[in-house]
Amino acid sequence: MNIIDLHVHSNKSDGSFTPSQLVEYAVEKGLSAFALTDHDTTDGIEEALLCAKAAAASGHPIEVIPGIEFSTEYEGQDIHIVGLYIDYNSDFFKRRLTGFVEGRVTRNREMCRLLTRHGIPVTYEELTAEFPGCVITRAHYARYMLSHGYIKSLKEAFERYIGDHGPCFVPRKKITPMRAVEIILKAGGFPVLAHPLLYHFTDKELEELVILLKK
């Protein structure tokens, strides 16, 4: 039986392993394929593909599927859309990602300003220096606060500062899930509604969303 995982994050977003480490871990666990679907970035795909090629040459074949996970908003709810087998090098796709990156930078600078005001001095430059080459997410803020002794647990970071209703949280301007589907399709990929049960929709609400996405 072939084992696959179509929703994996590296440390290029909020995962723990580098793309190369993910390939090695997948081989260790006996997977035949996995999709690298970092949040709003494809920066880890080339590294993962190169590592997979080296693994195959040493007798451990594994397929790395180029992917992404878009953070979108639908009726006030954070909805994640995964794209699989995307043409991540196409000009169209790269232009779309540039907008996401710029939006994240603006939001992260504001969150750093708010944290500093609340007794946790940090600049955006300091944060990115601690997590080089990563798309900064709230998980990175939590790790930063923990490693610098401002909190005693990652959970505390969200409860006191950066949770959805925390004083230092800044919502990021997001696209609709329908737009994410459109982008993925234009990039030659396959769109997937990620972890649908986590949104706590009623059956009717979830059905309505799926119908919209299908259209």
Side-chain angles (χ1 to χ4, degrees), residues 104-132:
R104 275 191 181 273
V105 170
T106 300
R107 176 253 201 149
N108 284 326
R109 288 190 183 280
E110 178 63 13
M111 284 186 64
C112 287
R113 188 183 68 82
L114 290 173
L115 282 166
T116 299
R117 182 190 294 176
H118 283 79
I120 302 176
V122 58
T123 65
Y124 177 67
E125 288 71 23
E126 289 170 333
L127 194 65
T128 54
E130 187 142 332
F131 303 101

Side-chain angles (χ1 to χ4, degrees), residues 52-200:
K53 185 176 181 180
S58 64
H60 301 286
I62 184 166
E63 179 185 1
V64 173
I65 298 166
I68 194 167
E69 183 174 18
F70 284 120
S71 300
T72 74
E73 186 173 342
Y74 170 76
E75 295 188 353
Q77 175 82 17
D78 194 32
I79 302 294
H80 293 169
I81 303 293
V82 165
L84 303 176
Y85 289 107
I86 53 173
D87 181 2
Y88 61 96
N89 282 321
S90 70
D91 289 339
F92 165 80
F93 195 76
K94 287 180 177 179
R95 287 196 301 271
R96 300 288 84 73
L97 280 192
T98 297
F100 289 113
V101 171
E102 291 172 350
R104 275 191 181 273
V105 170
T106 300
R107 176 253 201 149
N108 284 326
R109 288 190 183 280
E110 178 63 13
M111 284 186 64
C112 287
R113 188 183 68 82
L114 290 173
L115 282 166
T116 299
R117 182 190 294 176
H118 283 79
I120 302 176
V122 58
T123 65
Y124 177 67
E125 288 71 23
E126 289 170 333
L127 194 65
T128 54
E130 187 142 332
F131 303 101
C134 296
V135 171
I136 300 298
T137 68
R138 282 186 282 178
H140 294 100
Y141 284 96
R143 292 176 196 167
Y144 182 93
M145 286 186 269
L146 184 63
S147 66
H148 288 264
Y150 293 114
I151 55 175
K152 295 181 180 180
S153 69
L154 296 177
K155 183 180 179 182
E156 182 184 352
F158 287 87
E159 290 179 343
R160 292 185 60 188
Y161 299 104
I162 59 173
D164 287 353
H165 304 289
C168 302
F169 172 64
V170 177
R172 186 168 58 89
K173 186 177 180 181
K174 298 175 183 176
I175 60 174
T176 66
M178 286 68 79
R179 177 57 177 156
V181 167
E182 186 178 39
I183 292 171
I184 292 165
L185 290 174
K186 286 186 176 180
F190 297 88
V192 179
L193 175 60
H195 40 68
L197 297 184
L198 293 185
Y199 307 129
H200 303 296

Side-chain angles (χ1 to χ4, degrees), residues 31-42:
L31 271 66
S32 59
F34 75 90
L36 184 54
T37 56
D38 279 317
H39 285 289
D40 301 329
T41 183
T42 58

